[in-house]
Amino acid sequence: GEERVVDGVIVGVASPSDLIAAPMLTPFNIGRRIELTDFTETEALPLARGLARSPTVAAAMLKRVLHWTGAHPYLTQRLCQAVAMDHTITRPRQVDRCCQDLFLSPQARDRDDNLVFVREHLLTENETRTALLDLYGRILIGQAHRTDARISPLLGALHLSGIVSTRPGPLRVRNRIYEHVFN
């Protein structure tokens, strides 16, 4: 798998075979899946303290951050950090401008390691790229369903990229940032 260190956090995915140094010497698969989930709102609450504003304003700003990030840990931490450092942001709706600068602008799309990783992961699935992007397009407009057995391997690839929510229920894009960037 490919991983990168971004602000002291390892970002990436790996399959069990990526973790086995000498596959010919390992007679069995020793890997097991570790599901990393998005923050819950309660888990994200301590981030509001770092926004350096009154508790009420900080809570409202955190709610706006979560509106964009869907509580994705890296995106949430990164956007909170940028909001905390920009003292011109005094109202929750001003978080949108910060999100635009960090993630949504054309320059940011090529600059942010997480967005570059997701894009590269989606585009390097050579054998299934067309089918993968077709499925992603259907998820984006709400026309794909988990019950369709034909999509299972493709859905696994989308989950590995991090672009699709792993929560139960309808298939959907993980957060609004990914919806805007990967439209």
Side-chain angles (χ1 to χ4, degrees):
E2 178 184 339
E3 73 265 343
R4 297 178 184 175
V5 177
V6 179
D7 293 333
V9 176
I10 296 176
V11 177
V13 296
S15 67
S17 61
D18 294 331
L19 304 175
I20 300 171
M24 301 307 287
L25 300 176
T26 304
F28 50 87
N29 187 345
I30 59 171
R32 75 183 157 123
R33 183 180 180 101
I34 301 171
E35 191 72 43
L36 301 177
T37 59
D38 293 335
F39 290 136
T40 64
E41 284 193 41
T42 304
E43 291 168 339
L45 277 177
L47 296 172
R49 288 193 302 262
L51 297 177
R53 284 138 176 114
S54 74
T56 305
V57 172
M61 285 189 176
L62 178 62
K63 189 172 184 118
R64 193 65 186 168
V65 165
L66 297 176
H67 162 83
W68 283 106
T69 67
H72 181 290
Y74 166 77
L75 298 175
T76 302
Q77 179 268 337
R78 185 90 168 83
L79 187 51
C80 280
Q81 181 182 31
V83 169
M85 294 174 68
D86 186 343
H87 296 290
T88 66
I89 298 174
T90 57
R91 294 188 319 269
R93 283 290 181 174
Q94 292 172 319
V95 170
D96 297 358
R97 174 179 43 89
C98 193
C99 185
Q100 173 72 29
D101 294 343
L102 266 182
F103 302 115
L104 306 180
S105 71
Q107 301 82 8
R109 294 173 186 206
D110 293 330
R111 188 173 60 221
D112 183 78
D113 286 337
N114 179 263
L115 298 178
V116 169
F117 170 80
V118 172
R119 181 182 65 222
E120 288 176 0
H121 189 80
L122 289 173
L123 297 179
T124 56
E125 296 285 335
N126 291 329
E127 304 81 37
T128 60
R129 182 182 325 163
T130 302
L132 190 70
L133 293 176
D134 177 61
L135 173 59
Y136 175 70
R138 289 188 295 137
I139 292 170
L140 194 60
I141 60 173
Q143 292 184 351
H145 306 284
R146 284 184 205 280
T147 55
D148 185 349
R150 296 171 296 160
I151 68 170
S152 185
L154 296 172
L155 190 54
L158 289 175
H159 281 168
L160 275 176
S161 75
I163 199 165
V164 173
S165 175
T166 58
R167 293 183 186 136
L171 287 171
R172 60 183 179 81
V173 179
R174 191 170 178 184
N175 56 62
R176 285 182 175 88
I177 292 172
Y178 287 170
E179 284 179 12
H180 281 75
V181 172
F182 305 109
N183 60 6

